[in-house]
Amino acid sequence: MLPIPLKITPEPSARKRKRDRDRAERIRLAGGPKPTLRERAVSLAREKGEVRTKDLTDIGVPRHYLTRMCEEGLLMKAGYGRYRAAVPKAA
């Protein structure tokens, strides 16, 4: 005996402004949202192994982000002005 499929009611769509719909469409066509500064910093550190503060500021990451990223465990300070991507801990 096959189960009777339930009718799924679509979620009520909130009305969006035209400019919001247009912006969402532009982002979708461009391949999705751009990576955040933190994602860019961590990917650069993983790619190069060790990065300098200058390397990160060249891609647009402010210096005060580096301290926060170290506190959050995204980067590790390797020395004065040098950072490495933190290794994720196994669960």
Side-chain angles (χ1 to χ4, degrees):
M1 193 184 268
L2 296 174
I4 300 172
L6 298 174
K7 287 187 177 180
I8 300 174
T9 57
E11 294 182 24
S13 60
R15 295 203 56 185
K16 285 186 176 180
R17 295 181 295 194
K18 181 174 180 347
R19 67 178 174 197
D20 292 337
R21 287 192 311 264
D22 292 344
R23 180 176 183 271
E25 182 68 13
R26 281 195 310 272
I27 290 172
R28 187 185 67 77
L29 291 175
K34 294 192 295 188
T36 63
L37 290 176
R38 292 167 189 260
E39 291 169 347
R40 289 167 48 191
V42 172
S43 66
L44 181 68
R46 284 191 180 133
E47 180 183 313
K48 286 190 165 188
E50 187 170 294
V51 291
R52 298 177 301 156
T53 304
K54 183 184 182 317
D55 300 331
L56 295 168
T57 55
D58 286 347
I59 64 168
V61 179
R63 289 183 295 159
H64 66 273
Y65 273 33
L66 302 178
T67 304
R68 293 179 188 168
M69 289 172 58
C70 287
E71 290 170 355
E72 292 172 8
L74 297 172
L75 292 177
M76 292 175 22
K77 191 161 186 167
Y80 182 77
R82 299 192 178 274
Y83 296 90
R84 290 188 185 140
V87 179
K89 295 181 181 179

